[in-house]
Amino acid sequence: MTKFIFVTGGVVSSLGKGITTAAIAVLLEKRGLKVSIQKLDPYINVDPGTMSPFEHGEVYVTEDGAETDLDLGHYERFSNAAINKYSNATTGSVYSEVIRRERKGDYLGKTVQVIPHITDQIQRAIRQGAQRGIDVAIVEVGGTAGDIESLPFLEAIRQFGLKLGKGNVCYVHLTLLPYLSASGEMKTKPTQETVRKMREIGIQPDILVCRCERPMTEEMRQKIAMFCNVIGEDVIQEMDVPVTIYEVPLDLVREGMDASLVRCLQLQDTTRPDLSDWEDLRRRFAEPKGEIEIAVVGKYIELHDAYKSIYEALSHGGAYHEHKVRLRKIAAEDVHDQGATGLLHGCHGLLVPGGFGERGLEGKIKAIQWARENHVPFFGICFGMQAMVIEYARNVAGIPGAHTSEAQPNCSDPVIDLMREQEGVEEKGGTMRLGAYPCRVVDGTRCAEIYGRDMVLERHRHRWEFNNDYKRPLEVAGLTCSGIWEARGLVEVVELSDRPFYLGAQYHPEFKSKPLDPHPLFREFVGAALAFSRGEGEAGGEDEEEALDPSPAAASAAAGRTPGS
Ligand code: GLN
């Protein structure tokens, strides 16, 4: 029988519940258990697909094409849990299912109410999220205890736990121990208050995870235990991590979290989990041999969460090469207004991420031109790849009117154009080309060398595509189409094959990068930036005098370099 862990949060939002949830999954997997992870989100949107990245951070796309909360990205990066469209349910998705059933007549004769109909549907969603054959289903409840929106979810998990019975369910509650610098002490009162709130709702937390900036004293632990009705061992300190979020599983083991989970869920107490691979990862982050700087030119640059998976994937590449990746976040519009040189000078690589709409596009194109002309490693993702194609068409292939019809519907040369299937699509939610599609990697390209495979499965989220009418002229001008979705003959990857890394992907490789298994494209992009920082970037090309750090000797070595693993 599957056991359940419910992770809730109190006091304030942004306590890192998603990361804690993901870290719990690591601990259980290291004990040989199979887990699933699910996020319940109390907002009314059916999914976050239509929310602004400014509002909600990135939209994380699953293999099966669901647009989900970014916490699911943490789940996949940390664990091996299979994440799919059932892994994220919202108030919106729960209500739309209940309303669909009501219209069908499923509740004939009944008044449809929050309790029991909504709470029953939440429990159905929880059962759907817990995949067959797994030992422990971990369910994170978004929001903060006491929010109006999260009440039905808390009521549903209360009922769910009641049915499962003791030993089969564990309620983990995250709280904050604020530090008051004026009095120089940490406070337990907010924790007592949030646990009181949970108990009013009918849930007695089994394990309290206390987020804090400073160590919790034994006295505080005992005080929290006494006031919150748990044993001292189940009050777990989770301090801010100085170097990387990937330390959290190690910290939790050290604080006895896995012992508490074993006790609460009456799991077989196997040997202590071996986290040596995570130890090694921590070391790679904590003791880098050097630093490189990657410029990220995007539209939603002010909010770190807007490009969460990209930043994480870059850090994975950095850890692989044992180098810290410093980010230079640049607003695309600033490049447009101020020019590329001043803003980008000195960076060792340029990444242009995905995006939507016209704003910032010309700045991205300028930045890409700068990288091409200066032989700086460049990685374009989705809209970034589309901008790379436009730049190449305009400035190299002699197609000055090249554009995307997304920004200029009536442009003379839509080198990026709306997919046939998208014509006439009016609804915005869930209607893009979404999820994993197979891509054939073309032999003899950089892309093939990097992947070391001829077929890859990568995730998409876009409406526009490379326009094949321009394939020939772009290829003649030197651009190589190195990845193709064969079923439709669509170009998925473009590159300049004679460079260590100048590549654009229509898909989002960042969604499949893990700290212990960096995505090959990110691994090699960071590798190319590192080589560039050492003056090993290849020289030559049309702007030889302008190239930043050309070193012809190292260039041939770099060109012949094989992928790092
Ligand atoms: N706006 C572009 C499109 O829809 C790119 C989308 C993206 O970058 N995710 O095709």
Side-chain angles (χ1 to χ4, degrees):
M1 191 180 121
T2 304
K3 306 200 176 211
F4 284 79
I5 296 173
F6 293 104
V7 183
T8 54
V11 188
V12 290
S13 58
S14 306
L15 282 181
K17 237 187 312 159
I19 290 166
T20 305
T21 303
I24 288 173
V26 173
L27 303 195
L28 297 174
E29 285 187 337
K30 287 292 182 187
R31 283 186 171 266
L33 298 164
K34 272 200 85 180
V35 304
S36 66
I37 322 180
Q38 185 184 36
K39 171 105 193 258
L40 304 177
D41 274 312
Y43 50 71
I44 308 210
N45 304 59
V46 171
D47 63 42
T50 57
M51 289 188 211
S52 156
F54 276 130
E55 182 108 355
H56 192 260
E58 91 180 357
V59 174
Y60 186 78
V61 180
T62 60
E63 202 76 355
D64 62 349
E67 298 179 283
T68 70
D69 186 82
L70 54 78
D71 275 330
L72 276 79
H74 291 309
Y75 303 167
E76 281 210 302
R77 286 188 281 273
F78 278 74
S79 80
N80 299 310
I83 301 298
N84 58 36
K85 62 180 178 206
Y86 298 116
S87 310
N88 196 188
T90 68
T91 295
S93 69
V94 167
Y95 269 76
S96 36
E97 179 58 16
V98 169
I99 291 167
R100 190 190 66 78
R101 285 170 186 250
E102 186 274 333
R103 294 287 83 185
K104 220 176 109 212
D106 284 0
Y107 309 110
L108 230 44
K110 295 267 193 316
T111 307
V112 181
Q113 293 179 302
V114 173
I115 303 171
H117 302 101
I118 294 298
T119 47
D120 281 353
Q121 179 55 35
I122 294 172
Q123 292 178 72
R124 263 197 294 274
I126 291 172
R127 258 177 253 112
Q128 273 178 329
Q131 291 133 23
R132 219 172 303 151
I134 58 142
D135 302 300
V136 183
I138 309 169
V139 182
E140 177 190 347
V141 184
T144 309
D147 290 349
I148 292 180
E149 290 90 346
S150 46
L151 282 175
F153 289 95
L154 297 178
E155 170 59 15
I157 66 168
R158 182 192 70 78
Q159 293 180 17
F160 199 94
L162 199 62
K163 289 178 209 153
L164 283 183
K166 222 176 152 43
N168 295 318
V169 59
C170 177
Y171 295 102
V172 176
H173 192 59
L174 233 77
T175 88
L176 176 70
L177 299 182
Y179 175 77
L180 299 185
S181 50
S183 59
E185 50 177 356
M186 282 200 313
K187 291 301 199 182
T188 66
K189 186 74 89 197
T191 298
Q192 298 175 39
E193 285 297 324
T194 178
V195 171
R196 176 174 308 144
K197 217 161 255 162
M198 290 298 285
R199 291 169 70 189
E200 268 169 29
I201 294 164
I203 297 172
Q204 165 66 54
D206 297 299
I207 300 174
L208 294 174
V209 176
C210 303
R211 296 280 291 106
C212 45
E213 310 171 35
R214 286 157 196 251
M216 171 171 75
T217 61
E218 186 52 31
E219 195 190 339
M220 289 182 80
R221 181 195 303 277
Q222 293 309 333
K223 185 172 169 188
I224 294 168
M226 202 260 290
F227 276 108
C228 299
N229 205 26
V230 297
I231 59 169
E233 285 90 334
D234 292 338
V235 180
I236 309 285
Q237 158 187 296
E238 191 186 310
M239 283 234 286
D240 294 353
V241 280
V243 182
T244 166
I245 54 168
Y246 300 115
E247 276 178 69
V248 174
L250 298 168
D251 286 1
L252 287 182
V253 170
R254 203 183 38 241
E255 295 301 321
M257 180 69 173
D258 71 308
S260 290
L261 291 169
V262 164
R263 187 166 47 243
C264 182
L265 290 175
Q266 298 172 7
L267 297 168
Q268 241 184 342
D269 193 4
T270 50
T271 45
R272 273 183 84 75
D274 174 14
L275 271 80
S276 46
D277 47 354
W278 289 82
E279 286 288 358
D280 177 57
L281 181 69
R282 196 199 67 80
R283 187 193 51 75
R284 285 170 178 272
F285 275 103
E287 299 160 21
K289 294 188 175 133
E291 283 193 8
I292 55 159
E293 187 165 354
I294 303 278
V296 178
V297 173
K299 181 171 162 188
Y300 315 108
I301 222 73
E302 296 89 335
L303 184 72
H304 188 82
D305 276 355
Y307 303 120
K308 187 94 203 165
S309 293
I310 285 182
Y311 297 146
E312 290 305 315
L314 286 171
S315 85
H316 304 161
Y320 177 88
H321 294 284
E322 297 184 72
H323 272 69
K324 183 179 162 56
V325 175
R326 238 177 318 138
L327 299 168
R328 193 189 298 181
K329 300 176 182 174
I330 302 169
E333 283 180 306
D334 289 348
V335 181
H336 183 237
D337 298 342
Q338 300 165 30
T341 312
L343 290 167
L344 288 163
H345 183 79
C347 72
H348 308 120
L350 166 70
L351 188 148
V352 176
F356 294 85
E358 190 179 8
R359 188 169 70 78
L361 176 58
E362 292 303 325
K364 292 174 188 175
I365 291 172
K366 250 191 191 164
I368 296 167
Q369 178 179 7
W370 175 88
R372 182 178 54 73
E373 291 177 351
N374 291 290
H375 295 258
V376 176
F378 166 72
F379 193 3
I381 293 177
C382 206
F383 207 39
M385 172 268 202
Q386 298 175 355
M388 166 186 169
V389 172
I390 297 168
E391 192 281 319
Y392 206 79
R394 285 184 191 171
N395 300 327
V396 183
I399 312 172
H403 219 318
T404 165
S405 56
E406 176 176 5
Q408 213 183 82
N410 300 319
C411 61
S412 60
D413 291 285
V415 290
I416 304 295
D417 206 0
L418 199 62
M419 270 181 276
R420 214 185 318 130
E421 298 82 337
Q422 289 289 334
E423 284 162 14
V425 171
E426 298 272 329
E427 285 219 0
K428 291 278 183 274
T431 55
M432 284 187 243
R433 178 179 168 202
L434 285 167
Y437 285 82
C439 168
R440 189 175 59 77
V441 181
V442 178
D443 227 19
T445 60
R446 260 311 272 150
C447 186
E449 209 180 332
I450 291 169
Y451 274 111
R453 281 190 292 160
D454 53 9
M455 281 305 274
V456 294
L457 210 56
E458 297 280 7
R459 298 182 198 173
H460 292 250
R461 182 172 187 257
H462 56 104
R463 295 183 205 278
W464 276 264
E465 292 280 1
F466 184 103
N467 181 348
N468 275 335
D469 292 349
Y470 295 88
K471 191 165 175 232
R472 188 81 197 113
L474 284 164
E475 281 178 336
V476 168
L479 195 69
T480 299
C481 299
S482 49
I484 307 284
W485 176 27
E486 285 181 308
R488 285 281 317 277
L490 285 175
V491 175
E492 309 281 42
V493 189
V494 288
E495 64 174 44
L496 292 184
S497 300
D498 59 347
R499 301 213 180 173
F501 206 104
Y502 190 89
L503 181 146
Q506 182 58 78
Y507 47 75
H508 291 270
E510 70 272 23
F511 293 144
K512 292 182 85 162
S513 187
K514 292 175 176 236
L516 296 171
D517 184 17
H519 190 288
L521 290 176
F522 279 90
R523 187 191 67 210
E524 290 309 305
F525 172 56
V526 171
L530 179 57
F532 184 82
S533 78
R534 292 172 171 158
E536 294 166 14
E538 107 280 30
E542 66 273 41
D543 314 287
E544 201 156 351
E545 301 97 342
E546 267 190 64
L548 288 182
D549 278 318
S551 145
S556 45
R561 203 164 49 97
T562 47
S565 77

